[in-house]
């Protein structure tokens, strides 16, 4: 596949007193500030999906300003990939309960938009004029890293040249990165492989070995210099037992509960900031449900 260039990321925190690991994941000035929140806010509404749309737009606008590279592309070349654990699912349950309890004949028009799975991402795409593609996943803890993987799929297929990938949840945090499909890999940080699957049963090590090897399949090397583990779940898989990870510098990233769906993208930013030039890193996330996602990045 074409390499995917990884540009600087940004983040939005609902709680201004949250700090620590977040600031180590992206360069200085990456946070959406209180002044910028007031500038970017759309005031869409108070329901869950509307709040998510507002906070998603804030993150995407900051990302566009931080990365002037977006101006090099036509609107139909740029897409958005969003991942969330909550969003319209909560509103759908609320509407269902209203129908059951109040004998309503259907969903009220003002609530209908909040039951559209891509509603928040659609509002963001319209706000920024993005017309390449619009994807939303609800893969819970893996939603952020999966937003990146699904965007990479679309870029690799040649359906778009540029993507905004964001993971986040209302009342918690958002994180986003800009991705560009490119054949020029002289200098920078690039996503060169990725893989997804389910891990469960007694042969977890074998399954993880296969999935990580699949991520390396399209890369120039099949060994990791760094391994960054986002969620270790309850699976005792021991990275040192996997041949192509045996010599890697392994770091377990401990994100607090406020990172939720955004933690995979925070991990991308952390790896980009902390790995040395001319090295590669494998970012691994395994949720407690056995969802497995991994991304290989190279820094040149």
């Amino acid at each position: 596949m074409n390499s995917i260039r990884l540009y600087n990321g940004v983040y939005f925190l609902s709680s201004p007193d949250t700090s620590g690991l977040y600031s180590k994941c992206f360069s200085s000035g990456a946070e959406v500030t209180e002044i910028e929140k007031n500038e970017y806010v759309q005031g869409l509404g108070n329901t869950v999906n509307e709040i998510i749309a507002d906070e998603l737009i804030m993150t995407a606008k900051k990302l566009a300003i931080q990365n002037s590279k977006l101006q090099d592309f036509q609107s139909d070349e740029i897409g958005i990939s969003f991942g969330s654990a909550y969003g319209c699912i909560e509103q759908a349950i609320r509407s269902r309960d209203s129908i059951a309890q109040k004998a309503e004949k259907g969903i009220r028009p003002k609530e209908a938009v909040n039951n559209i799975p891509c509603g928040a991402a659609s509002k963001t795409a319209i706000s920024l004029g993005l017309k390449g593609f619009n994807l939303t996943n609800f893969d819970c803890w893996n939603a952020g890293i999966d937003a990146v993987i699904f965007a990479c799929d679309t870029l690799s297929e040649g359906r778009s040249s540029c993507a905004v990938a964001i993971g986040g949840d209302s009342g918690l945090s958002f994180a986003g990165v800009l991705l560009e499909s490119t054949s020029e890999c002289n200098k920078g940080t690039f996503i060169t492989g990725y893989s997804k699957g389910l891990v469960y049963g007694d042969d977890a090590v074998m399954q993880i070995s296969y999935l990580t090897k699949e991520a390396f399949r399209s890369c120039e090397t099949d060994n990791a210099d760094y391994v960054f583990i986002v969620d270790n779940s309850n699976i005792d898989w021991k990275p040192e037992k996997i041949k192509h990870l045996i010599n890697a510098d392994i770091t377990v990233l401990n994100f607090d509960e406020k990172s939720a769906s955004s933690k995979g993208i925070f991990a991308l930013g952390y790896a980009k900031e902390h790995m040395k030039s001319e090295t590669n890193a494998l970012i691994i996330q395994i949720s407690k449900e056995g969802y497995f996602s991994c991304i290989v990045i190279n820094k040149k």
Side-chain angles (χ1 to χ4, degrees), residues 48 76 83 89 113 118 120 124 130 151 161-162 173-174 207 210 216 219 239-240 273:
V48 172
D76 59 357
I89 300 301
V113 70
C118 290
T124 304
L130 311 181
S161 300
C162 186
S173 66
F174 287 71
Q207 294 173 56
Y210 170 77
F216 277 115
C219 304
E240 61 271 17
E273 290 292 313

Side-chain angles (χ1 to χ4, degrees), residues 77-207:
E77 294 181 297
I78 310 170
I80 179 169
S81 179
F82 177 50
S84 176
Y86 305 108
C88 70
I89 300 301
E90 184 173 330
Q91 181 62 49
I93 293 172
R94 196 177 297 171
S95 296
R96 181 201 64 186
D97 291 344
S98 293
I99 292 171
Q101 295 172 10
K102 301 177 183 178
E104 293 181 2
K105 295 181 179 179
I107 298 171
R108 290 177 290 180
K110 68 177 183 179
E111 293 180 344
V113 70
N114 295 314
N115 290 275
I116 301 172
C118 290
S122 295
K123 289 180 175 67
T124 304
I126 292 169
S127 175
L128 295 181
L130 311 181
K131 298 180 180 179
F133 61 86
N134 179 0
L135 303 172
T136 299
N137 80 77
F138 293 97
D139 291 354
C140 203
W141 303 111
N142 288 47
I145 200 167
D146 285 354
V148 174
I149 289 175
F150 296 145
C152 286
D153 270 341
T154 304
L155 296 177
S156 298
E157 291 166 3
R159 292 163 53 196
S160 289
S161 300
C162 186
V164 171
I166 297 174
D169 300 298
S170 175
L172 300 175
S173 66
F174 287 71
V177 289
L178 179 68
L179 307 170
E180 176 197 4
S181 178
T182 180
S183 57
E184 298 179 4
C185 303
N186 298 325
K187 187 177 181 181
T189 306
F190 304 89
I191 295 175
T192 54
Y194 47 87
S195 179
K196 273 185 60 59
L198 288 172
V199 174
Y200 54 86
D202 297 329
D203 59 344
V205 173
M206 185 181 299
Q207 294 173 56

Side-chain angles (χ1 to χ4, degrees), residues 15-130:
S15 175
D17 59 352
T18 305
S19 58
L21 189 55
Y22 296 112
S23 59
K24 298 178 181 178
C25 294
F26 294 116
S27 57
S28 60
E31 182 179 6
V32 179
T33 66
E34 289 298 319
I35 293 175
E36 288 168 332
K37 289 176 187 178
N38 293 329
E39 181 183 348
Y40 301 155
V41 68
Q42 303 289 298
L44 296 173
N46 296 317
T47 58
V48 172
N49 209 38
E50 299 291 6
I51 294 171
I52 287 182
D54 233 344
E55 295 175 349
L56 178 59
I57 289 171
M58 291 180 192
T59 309
K61 282 191 173 182
K62 174 81 171 189
L63 193 60
I65 290 170
Q66 288 283 81
N67 294 281
S68 56
K69 180 72 178 177
L70 273 174
Q71 299 171 6
D72 296 341
F73 296 93
Q74 300 295 321
S75 61
D76 59 357
E77 294 181 297
I78 310 170
I80 179 169
S81 179
F82 177 50
S84 176
Y86 305 108
C88 70
I89 300 301
E90 184 173 330
Q91 181 62 49
I93 293 172
R94 196 177 297 171
S95 296
R96 181 201 64 186
D97 291 344
S98 293
I99 292 171
Q101 295 172 10
K102 301 177 183 178
E104 293 181 2
K105 295 181 179 179
I107 298 171
R108 290 177 290 180
K110 68 177 183 179
E111 293 180 344
V113 70
N114 295 314
N115 290 275
I116 301 172
C118 290
S122 295
K123 289 180 175 67
T124 304
I126 292 169
S127 175
L128 295 181
L130 311 181

